[in-house]
Amino acid sequence: MTTTTGPTAEHDLDPAAESAGPAPVLMSPARRTVQLLLGLVGFGLATALMLHSGQGAMPWAVLDQGLVDRTGLAYGWVVLGVGLLVMLAWIPLRQRPGIGTVANIIVISLVIDPALWVLERLLPAPALAAGVGLALAGIVLLGVSTAAYVGARLGPGPRDGLMTGLVQVTGWPVWLVKTAIEVSVVLLGVLLGGTFGWATVVFAFGVGPVVQVAARWLAPSGLTGRH
């Protein structure tokens, strides 16, 4: 589940970025696999931290939470279903999934519900201070995790592929497409009962810088160059 706003990774969108700077550093297959899995697990944990904080969720999670409230399904099933539906939009956009795309849907879906279960028992009703701490920890962890799984270069997440596909089809700038998508899912999620709060706004502006810093160690080929 890739869901970030701000100056985060955009996959192979800027040809000039590929020719600029030092030559890319190759990752071993073992490191890429481990980094992908750890990044996706971290992403699921970060999502659970933000959801349990009660201070606001990331944009796509607002939609997922609204669907959970309306359907009564477990959060992981909703994440899985939304991810699969988003991938259907890849067909007319001519996007190609990778092993990381499939892993993104499966791993994050499997991690979120157990993580929420543990948090519910450790902090059944987090007070304001605890909620703020959970939200900020979730934002930081999500930024690092995004750099990890994107840096592994084994395929974009469903939401990343939707964004890049629309950029290629429309010719619109990345920021405009990404903003339009995430504003739309937030509005729909709020209408369905999802939680929008200050953490949603802080996430929008804060997660990008975290990704950029973490990418120095987790994306040796860069976030926009070829692997």
Side-chain angles (χ1 to χ4, degrees), residues 14 20 28 33 47 65 70 73 82 84 111-112 114 116 123 131 139 153 157 177 182 190-191 204 208 214 223:
D14 186 359
S28 69
T33 301
T47 303
Q65 191 178 41
R70 290 303 181 101
L73 294 172
V82 171
L84 292 174
V111 167
I112 289 180
L116 287 171
L123 288 170
I139 292 169
R153 298 200 164 281
V177 172
E182 300 206 345
V190 170
L191 291 174
L223 288 172

Short mmCIF file of all heavy atoms in Angstrom, two decimals, residues 14 20 28 33 47 65 70 73 82 84 111-112 114 116 123 131 139 153 157 177 182 190-191 204 208 214 223:
data_model
loop_
_atom_site.label_atom_id
_atom_site.label_comp_id
_atom_site.label_asym_id
_atom_site.label_seq_id
_atom_site.Cartn_x
_atom_site.Cartn_y
_atom_site.Cartn_z
N ASP A 14 11.44 11.13 -14.50
CA ASP A 14 12.27 12.24 -14.95
C ASP A 14 13.52 11.71 -15.64
O ASP A 14 14.48 11.33 -14.99
CB ASP A 14 12.66 13.11 -13.74
CG ASP A 14 13.41 14.37 -14.18
OD1 ASP A 14 13.62 14.53 -15.39
OD2 ASP A 14 13.78 15.16 -13.30
N ALA A 20 21.74 12.43 -14.60
CA ALA A 20 22.46 13.35 -13.73
C ALA A 20 23.03 12.60 -12.54
O ALA A 20 22.51 11.59 -12.13
CB ALA A 20 21.51 14.46 -13.25
N SER A 28 22.43 -6.25 -4.22
CA SER A 28 22.36 -7.69 -4.39
C SER A 28 20.90 -8.12 -4.34
O SER A 28 20.08 -7.48 -3.66
CB SER A 28 23.15 -8.40 -3.29
OG SER A 28 22.51 -8.24 -2.04
N THR A 33 15.46 -8.19 -1.71
CA THR A 33 14.34 -8.98 -1.21
C THR A 33 14.07 -8.68 0.26
O THR A 33 12.92 -8.43 0.67
CB THR A 33 14.60 -10.47 -1.40
OG1 THR A 33 14.80 -10.75 -2.79
CG2 THR A 33 13.43 -11.30 -0.89
N THR A 47 1.14 2.21 9.44
CA THR A 47 -0.28 2.48 9.19
C THR A 47 -1.09 2.21 10.45
O THR A 47 -1.98 2.99 10.82
CB THR A 47 -0.80 1.61 8.03
OG1 THR A 47 -0.02 1.86 6.86
CG2 THR A 47 -2.26 1.91 7.74
N GLN A 65 -10.25 3.17 6.20
CA GLN A 65 -10.94 3.19 7.48
C GLN A 65 -12.44 3.44 7.29
O GLN A 65 -13.27 2.82 7.97
CB GLN A 65 -10.33 4.27 8.36
CG GLN A 65 -10.78 4.22 9.81
CD GLN A 65 -10.11 5.29 10.64
OE1 GLN A 65 -9.94 6.42 10.19
NE2 GLN A 65 -9.70 4.93 11.84
N ARG A 70 -18.00 1.09 7.24
CA ARG A 70 -19.25 0.84 6.50
C ARG A 70 -19.51 -0.64 6.27
O ARG A 70 -20.67 -1.07 6.24
CB ARG A 70 -19.22 1.57 5.16
CG ARG A 70 -19.32 3.09 5.28
CD ARG A 70 -20.57 3.53 6.03
NE ARG A 70 -20.68 4.97 6.13
CZ ARG A 70 -21.46 5.72 5.36
NH1 ARG A 70 -22.20 5.13 4.42
NH2 ARG A 70 -21.52 7.02 5.52
N LEU A 73 -15.79 -5.20 7.67
CA LEU A 73 -14.71 -6.14 7.34
C LEU A 73 -13.46 -5.80 8.14
O LEU A 73 -13.29 -4.68 8.62
CB LEU A 73 -14.38 -6.07 5.84
CG LEU A 73 -15.47 -6.55 4.89
CD1 LEU A 73 -15.08 -6.23 3.45
CD2 LEU A 73 -15.72 -8.05 5.05
N VAL A 82 -9.03 -2.95 -1.82
CA VAL A 82 -8.77 -1.68 -2.48
C VAL A 82 -7.53 -1.78 -3.37
O VAL A 82 -7.52 -1.26 -4.49
CB VAL A 82 -8.59 -0.56 -1.43
CG1 VAL A 82 -8.08 0.73 -2.09
CG2 VAL A 82 -9.90 -0.29 -0.71
N LEU A 84 -6.40 -4.41 -4.93
CA LEU A 84 -6.74 -5.15 -6.15
C LEU A 84 -7.58 -4.31 -7.09
O LEU A 84 -7.39 -4.35 -8.32
CB LEU A 84 -7.49 -6.43 -5.77
CG LEU A 84 -6.66 -7.49 -5.03
CD1 LEU A 84 -7.55 -8.64 -4.58
CD2 LEU A 84 -5.52 -8.01 -5.90
N VAL A 111 -0.17 -7.64 7.76
CA VAL A 111 0.47 -7.04 8.94
C VAL A 111 -0.47 -6.15 9.74
O VAL A 111 -0.42 -6.12 10.98
CB VAL A 111 1.72 -6.24 8.51
CG1 VAL A 111 2.24 -5.35 9.65
CG2 VAL A 111 2.82 -7.18 8.05
N ILE A 112 -1.36 -5.42 9.07
CA ILE A 112 -2.12 -4.36 9.74
C ILE A 112 -3.00 -4.88 10.87
O ILE A 112 -2.97 -4.35 11.99
CB ILE A 112 -2.96 -3.59 8.72
CG1 ILE A 112 -2.04 -2.74 7.84
CG2 ILE A 112 -3.95 -2.69 9.42
CD1 ILE A 112 -2.77 -1.92 6.80
N PRO A 114 -2.97 -7.75 12.79
CA PRO A 114 -2.24 -8.16 14.00
C PRO A 114 -1.61 -6.97 14.73
O PRO A 114 -1.59 -6.93 15.97
CB PRO A 114 -1.16 -9.10 13.47
CG PRO A 114 -1.73 -9.64 12.20
CD PRO A 114 -2.50 -8.50 11.61
N LEU A 116 -2.73 -3.84 14.78
CA LEU A 116 -3.81 -3.14 15.47
C LEU A 116 -4.25 -3.91 16.72
O LEU A 116 -4.57 -3.31 17.75
CB LEU A 116 -5.00 -2.95 14.53
CG LEU A 116 -4.82 -1.90 13.42
CD1 LEU A 116 -5.98 -1.97 12.44
CD2 LEU A 116 -4.72 -0.51 14.01
N LEU A 123 -2.31 -0.34 24.43
CA LEU A 123 -2.84 1.00 24.68
C LEU A 123 -4.31 1.02 24.23
O LEU A 123 -4.63 1.50 23.14
CB LEU A 123 -2.05 2.06 23.92
CG LEU A 123 -0.64 2.38 24.40
CD1 LEU A 123 0.08 3.25 23.39
CD2 LEU A 123 -0.70 3.08 25.76
N GLY A 131 -1.31 9.43 21.88
CA GLY A 131 -1.79 9.47 20.51
C GLY A 131 -0.88 10.28 19.61
O GLY A 131 -0.60 9.89 18.48
N ILE A 139 4.42 8.31 11.23
CA ILE A 139 4.87 9.10 10.08
C ILE A 139 6.33 8.83 9.77
O ILE A 139 6.71 8.62 8.61
CB ILE A 139 4.63 10.60 10.35
CG1 ILE A 139 3.13 10.89 10.38
CG2 ILE A 139 5.31 11.46 9.27
CD1 ILE A 139 2.77 12.28 10.88
N ARG A 153 13.36 -1.55 -5.58
CA ARG A 153 13.10 -1.57 -7.01
C ARG A 153 12.63 -2.93 -7.53
O ARG A 153 13.16 -3.48 -8.49
CB ARG A 153 14.35 -1.15 -7.79
CG ARG A 153 14.78 0.26 -7.46
CD ARG A 153 15.69 0.81 -8.55
NE ARG A 153 15.77 2.24 -8.40
CZ ARG A 153 14.84 3.10 -8.79
NH1 ARG A 153 13.75 2.64 -9.37
NH2 ARG A 153 14.96 4.39 -8.61
N GLY A 157 4.04 -0.03 -5.68
CA GLY A 157 2.78 -0.42 -5.05
C GLY A 157 1.61 -0.05 -5.95
O GLY A 157 1.76 0.74 -6.90
N VAL A 177 -1.17 15.30 -10.21
CA VAL A 177 -1.85 14.01 -10.22
C VAL A 177 -1.92 13.43 -8.82
O VAL A 177 -2.97 12.96 -8.36
CB VAL A 177 -1.13 13.04 -11.17
CG1 VAL A 177 -1.71 11.63 -11.03
CG2 VAL A 177 -1.25 13.51 -12.62
N GLU A 182 -5.03 12.01 -3.96
CA GLU A 182 -5.10 11.88 -2.51
C GLU A 182 -6.16 12.78 -1.90
O GLU A 182 -6.78 12.41 -0.90
CB GLU A 182 -3.72 12.11 -1.91
CG GLU A 182 -2.73 11.08 -2.45
CD GLU A 182 -1.56 10.80 -1.54
OE1 GLU A 182 -1.34 11.59 -0.61
OE2 GLU A 182 -0.89 9.78 -1.75
N VAL A 190 -13.54 10.46 4.30
CA VAL A 190 -14.23 11.23 5.35
C VAL A 190 -15.74 11.05 5.24
O VAL A 190 -16.44 10.88 6.25
CB VAL A 190 -13.84 12.72 5.26
CG1 VAL A 190 -14.73 13.56 6.17
CG2 VAL A 190 -12.38 12.91 5.65
N LEU A 191 -16.26 11.07 4.02
CA LEU A 191 -17.69 10.86 3.82
C LEU A 191 -18.13 9.49 4.31
O LEU A 191 -19.26 9.32 4.77
CB LEU A 191 -18.05 11.03 2.34
CG LEU A 191 -17.94 12.46 1.79
CD1 LEU A 191 -18.18 12.45 0.28
CD2 LEU A 191 -18.95 13.37 2.48
N ALA A 204 1.15 14.68 5.18
CA ALA A 204 1.23 15.19 3.81
C ALA A 204 2.50 16.00 3.58
O ALA A 204 3.14 15.90 2.54
CB ALA A 204 0.00 16.03 3.49
N GLY A 208 7.55 13.22 3.09
CA GLY A 208 8.48 13.35 1.97
C GLY A 208 9.91 13.57 2.42
O GLY A 208 10.83 12.87 1.97
N ALA A 214 15.98 9.01 4.45
CA ALA A 214 16.17 7.57 4.56
C ALA A 214 16.71 6.97 3.27
O ALA A 214 17.43 5.97 3.29
CB ALA A 214 14.85 6.90 4.94
N LEU A 223 16.02 7.23 -5.96
CA LEU A 223 14.59 6.90 -6.00
C LEU A 223 13.99 7.11 -7.38
O LEU A 223 12.84 6.75 -7.61
CB LEU A 223 13.83 7.74 -4.98
CG LEU A 223 14.07 7.35 -3.53
CD1 LEU A 223 13.43 8.37 -2.60
CD2 LEU A 223 13.53 5.97 -3.24
#
